[in-house]
Structure formats: structure tokens, C-alpha cells
Amino acid sequence: MAGANPKDSCATTTSRFLSFDDVERTSIQNFQMNLGSLAHDEICVCCENSLISSGTEMKIFSGKFETGEPVDMTIESMKDATMSYPMRYGYCFAGKVVAAGSSPVAQALLHERVFCFASHGEHAVVNAKDAFVIPQEISCSNAVLLPSVETALSLVQDAHPVLGDRIAVVGQGLIGLLTTAIASRICEVTAIDPLESRREKAILAGATHVRSPQQDTAEIINGSKHLDSDMDKYDILIEVSGHPSGLQFALDHTVFGGVIILGSWYGDKPIGLTMGFPFHRSHVDIRASQVSNIRAPLSARWNKKRRMKLAWQILSDLCNPCSSKETDGLMHSIVETKFYSLEDAQKAFEDLRDHNVITAGLKY
């Protein structure tokens, strides 16, 4: 593993991190870490894996953000940072605690594997209270998927589905596939994506029906067609395509009084939508959904700690075999994360941009 693994708390080491320097341009930068200067409640984590967000992070890579906007007010290490080049970013970081401050909470984490919301790099210094011990049955390479699972869970919770609702998930990238997997525990789900390979993944994730946005009706998994024209519309559409045409599809295929959960972030660019008379009369409820906060009235019963606990449980379920005959869990079938070295981070972003991979991360 790259990076230092200090033998004592006074060690000084050179560590590397990923910098977003300009539009579609990254670099690797060095900085000196003095682990003897850790605050009493801080820990230093030596990274094993970090995941690249195919939504927010790709917008930063592509320069599609509003300069000067806060990076993330809910993550302690980023709350004072603003969107502008050069910048550090990333929030899916898993590794081993190699140094700890003097507090009991920090000391208890020494040598533990933890997940934390930190940017890409060989090391991260975080407050001990912001680190999550990784369950024994989950690898670091899967632990970095935790924020994606929590995001998918929050999308489903914001939709408030009831038994019998027809749900469609528009976009079957990482978040879409995980949303399909979670929503299919409650209702039948139609997975919508223009790419056949992603529709095939959606079937493995639990979709009952799949369709391309260009198809008139959805296909049942055995290949037959729905005869009921009403099945062309859905009670709930969760839009995570990241493309305006995905949102337009949702607007055109929601039943009267239905719900659209808008999970995509479109950055700083205007998008064009057709919202004519049929939409005007539709009483469709469009809800913006973002994982940082819990929407009322659910927030009266749920907090971030409770939702994170459930996200860990779901991640564990997806990562582990359902029977002794299986060697891998469902996650291995639906999410094929390709890990690149830190030196190849630029290529990882380019491959995501060009849709050569669904999910990409860095290994250290």
C-alpha cells in the first residue's frame, strides 16, 4: 500500500492527494503530515480505497458547477470550502487508523478499519466521531459504496411508496441500480435506461420490468409485453439519470397526482423541458431529494444515525451470499467497481465521462 504507516505518534510523512486543477484536469499533490500534531479527538486514516462519485464529482471534474458555492456544509472537513479550482473533493474513503489523538474515543479506533467522508488521498485526518467502524464482513472496497447506498435509501424514503405502487427508476448507473435494489424490496420496479447492459444489471438488482426510454411499453423479464396501456405510466418515478431527457421522461410518464423524486444534480447549466397543458393539469408532485438531510415528516422519527445504520445493513446484505452455494453477494453482480491507482486517477474520470465504466474508484 502506498503511503506511510507510522510506528509512533510523532512520525512525519509525505502524503499524496488528488487535486482538481481545472476543467477535466487533475494532478497529484504532496503535503507533509506531522502525526504528532493530531488533536486529542483526531485520527489519521491510511486509505485503502476511495470511490469516485459519478454525479457530483463528475460535475466538478467537468467544470459544471457554480463557482463560490459551498462544497458541502454537512461534512466537517469541507464546510468552509467553496467550489473553485484548484480544489480537493471526494467523500467515500475507507482504510485503517494508523495514528490517534489522546481521547478515549480516538484511541479506541487505533488499528481499526473505518469509513469516513474525506477527499481522495493516501491519508485523511478526521475527527474520531466522524469515522464509522467497518463491519467485519464488509471489505474496504465495498465500504466505499456506503454513501451510494445511503443516497439510494434516501431516494426511496423520500418517495414514501405504499404496497402496490408502480415505481420506475430512470437511469441505471450506480445510484439507479442501488435504488432499484432497495425499492424492489417494497414494490414492483421498472428500470429505465437506454443501455441494454445496464438494463440487464437492473434485472439482477431486482427490477420486475425493464425498458429503454424509446420503448412504448415496458418489457416483462421473460420478454412479453404489457397489454394494459395504463402500465405506461407510474405512481412514482425516481429520476437519477443525470440527463434532462431522463427528467422529461419522468414528466411524461407519471400518473395524475403521482410523484417525481429528482435525485440528479444538473450543475450550473440551464436545461430545457416541455411542461405543457398535460403537465399543468397533472397535479404531479416534484420533490428535490438530497442525502445530506432527512425530509419532514420523516425527520420526526428518523435521524442520520438511524438511516446510516440501515444503510450498513443493506450494504452487508448486498455484499454477502444469500446461500452457501453462492460465492459472492448481489453487489458483485450489479456493481463492478473498477479501481485505478492514484497515478491513473485522470483516466478513471475520463472512463466515467465516456461511459466505459459504471463505477470507478482509487486504490492505494
Side-chain angles (χ1 to χ4, degrees):
M1 179 184 300
N5 190 346
K7 295 181 179 180
D8 60 76
S9 60
C10 295
T12 299
T13 184
T14 299
S15 187
R16 302 181 301 164
F17 66 88
L18 182 70
S19 172
F20 294 86
D21 295 335
D22 208 329
V23 177
E24 297 194 349
R25 184 162 61 86
T26 64
S27 67
I28 300 170
Q29 301 293 327
N30 297 332
F31 73 102
Q32 291 295 118
M33 294 183 60
N34 181 2
L35 300 183
S37 65
L38 287 177
H40 77 285
D41 55 354
E42 288 182 332
I43 58 173
C44 176
V45 187
C46 186
C47 191
E48 291 190 20
N49 297 99
S50 62
L51 192 76
I52 298 171
S53 158
S54 57
T56 304
E57 209 164 332
M58 287 305 297
K59 290 290 191 295
I60 291 173
F61 177 72
S62 303
K64 298 175 181 177
F65 58 85
E66 296 181 30
T67 301
E69 284 294 304
V71 173
D72 196 318
M73 297 293 290
T74 65
I75 298 177
E76 185 67 25
S77 62
M78 301 180 186
K79 67 178 183 180
D80 296 324
T82 57
M83 294 274 195
S84 61
Y85 294 126
M87 63 184 292
R88 296 183 64 175
Y89 194 72
Y91 54 85
C92 310
F93 185 108
K96 187 176 182 179
V97 179
V98 294
S102 59
S103 76
V105 175
Q107 284 292 309
L109 292 177
L110 191 59
H111 307 309
E112 293 279 4
R113 295 182 313 131
V114 299
F115 170 88
C116 52
F117 294 96
S119 54
H120 300 291
E122 292 176 331
H123 296 86
V125 174
V126 299
N127 193 295
K129 67 178 176 59
D130 296 326
F132 301 85
V133 176
I134 300 172
Q136 186 175 0
E137 69 274 13
I138 299 177
S139 65
C140 283
S141 59
N142 281 328
V144 293
L145 294 165
L146 178 67
S148 301
V149 173
E150 189 196 9
T151 297
L153 175 59
S154 72
L155 289 164
V156 176
Q157 287 185 331
D158 282 350
H160 302 306
V162 299
L163 192 64
D165 271 342
R166 295 191 299 275
I167 299 177
V169 180
V170 185
Q172 293 297 301
L174 174 60
I175 300 301
L177 287 168
L178 292 173
T179 303
T180 295
I182 293 172
S184 63
R185 297 177 172 208
I186 305 168
C187 298
E188 291 191 354
V189 175
T190 298
I192 299 163
D193 199 281
L195 298 178
E196 183 178 2
S197 60
R198 295 192 177 191
R199 296 197 299 271
E200 290 172 351
K201 293 284 187 184
I203 295 170
L204 297 174
T208 314
H209 315 96
V210 294
R211 68 184 291 178
S212 166
Q214 289 75 37
Q215 285 179 281
D216 292 332
T217 57
E219 292 184 2
I220 302 176
I221 298 311
N222 64 15
S224 62
K225 298 277 188 178
H226 288 303
L227 298 179
D228 185 357
S229 61
D230 188 46
M231 291 297 288
D232 187 46
K233 293 196 172 185
Y234 306 91
D235 301 294
I236 297 169
L237 282 101
I238 301 175
E239 194 282 306
V240 286
S241 69
H243 196 280
S245 63
L247 179 53
Q248 187 66 60
F249 181 95
L251 292 170
D252 295 340
H253 292 82
T254 307
V255 300
F256 180 88
V259 175
I260 296 173
I261 301 298
L262 181 55
S264 295
W265 177 43
Y266 289 100
D268 64 339
K269 304 300 182 185
I271 61 173
L273 297 169
T274 300
M275 303 176 75
F277 196 57
F279 172 78
H280 179 64
R281 300 186 63 183
S282 70
H283 286 261
V284 167
D285 180 3
I286 302 177
R287 303 174 190 169
S289 179
Q290 208 279 332
V291 69
S292 296
N293 296 288
I294 296 178
R295 178 189 296 272
L298 191 63
S299 58
R301 310 190 310 276
W302 284 73
N303 56 27
K304 288 280 288 183
K305 182 178 179 180
R306 181 181 178 186
R307 188 169 70 186
M308 189 65 79
K309 181 179 179 181
L310 179 56
W312 275 120
Q313 292 173 350
I314 294 171
L315 180 57
S316 179
D317 290 346
L318 291 173
C319 288
N320 291 288
C322 297
S323 72
S324 59
K325 296 181 180 179
E326 298 176 340
T327 57
D328 296 295
L330 179 61
M331 187 69 81
H332 179 76
S333 300
I334 64 175
V335 178
E336 297 176 1
T337 306
K338 182 174 180 180
F339 285 101
Y340 300 73
S341 66
L342 183 59
E343 291 81 2
D344 290 331
Q346 178 73 26
K347 177 170 173 47
F349 281 93
E350 291 170 355
D351 281 351
L352 277 170
R353 178 199 63 195
D354 298 337
H355 304 290
N356 294 329
V357 294
I358 294 178
T359 312
L362 303 178
K363 58 184 178 182
Y364 302 82

